[in-house]
Amino acid sequence: VARATCENFYRNAHRYNQDDLLAVRDALDEPVAIIKRPAPDGGVRLAVITKIPDFKDDLSMVILQSDEITQDSYICSIYGKDDLINYIKRAQEDGTLLYLGDAEILRREAISPELDEKLDEIILRYYTDKQQKQHQKSVDDNKPQKKRGGQRL
């Protein structure tokens, strides 16, 4: 696993060098979690938590936003996120947790029995909600479609 280091880092507060940034970019293909966040301009940003630790050993989070004109995504910020389990739990409670990938990587963040229990709750609720949504979608897909028009005058 790549780890952000202080050696040869560019002058930024988050201490990511070029190799670190490339590792984080590649890790976007397999996120740990994706959370929807409001942008200062009223739009939407995505907080993508990756498996790459920063120099403090916190998992790196990438903030992405879409350009309104080109629809390309760009990186607003990259930094190590501390207190990650509570962050994800709050997002789940707010309804902004969009995706939970390999949540077992978060086990290293569970530094207390309370956090470990909270992580179990997050995982259980995520997959329960996902199953309910899939079930509802299949029910909705099997409903007869309402016919439009065709009434006699």
Side-chain angles (χ1 to χ4, degrees):
V1 170
R3 182 175 316 285
T5 61
C6 296
E7 186 178 318
N8 298 322
F9 69 89
Y10 294 101
R11 295 287 176 209
N12 62 62
H14 304 302
R15 299 184 180 177
Y16 289 92
N17 67 27
Q18 186 174 9
D19 293 335
D20 302 329
L21 294 173
L22 291 173
V24 170
R25 179 201 64 188
D26 292 343
L28 290 173
D29 291 335
E30 295 180 30
V32 174
I34 301 174
I35 297 169
K36 185 169 74 169
R37 289 285 168 225
D41 65 1
V44 173
R45 288 184 174 173
L46 295 179
V48 181
I49 300 163
T50 71
K51 297 176 183 178
I52 306 298
D54 74 344
F55 74 101
K56 295 184 295 184
D57 211 30
D58 294 325
L59 294 183
S60 297
M61 185 163 68
V62 180
I63 307 298
L64 299 172
Q65 186 167 348
S66 180
D67 183 279
E68 290 181 20
I69 297 170
T70 65
Q71 297 302 309
D72 291 333
S73 294
Y74 60 91
I75 295 174
C76 300
S77 185
I78 301 173
Y79 56 94
K81 181 66 180 153
D82 61 354
D83 198 22
L84 201 48
I85 293 173
N86 284 317
Y87 180 75
I88 292 172
K89 181 70 173 165
R90 284 189 304 274
Q92 190 175 52
E93 290 168 356
D94 295 343
T96 58
L97 177 62
L98 302 178
Y99 173 79
L100 187 63
D102 182 8
E104 290 305 313
I105 192 124
L106 296 170
R107 287 282 170 213
R108 68 188 202 96
E109 303 287 322
I111 56 175
S112 70
E114 293 82 17
L115 286 175
D116 198 48
E117 185 178 322
K118 193 175 284 191
L119 180 58
D120 288 338
E121 291 170 8
I122 291 168
I123 294 168
L124 178 63
R125 179 175 169 193
Y126 178 78
Y127 288 105
T128 301
D129 289 351
K130 187 175 178 179
Q131 284 179 334
Q132 288 175 347
K133 287 177 186 175
Q134 288 173 340
H135 175 72
Q136 186 60 46
K137 184 180 180 323
S138 69
V139 168
D140 291 344
D141 288 347
N142 290 325
K143 282 184 182 176
Q145 298 293 323
K146 292 182 181 179
K147 294 184 179 182
R148 297 179 185 231
Q151 288 101 7
R152 292 186 172 205
L153 298 176

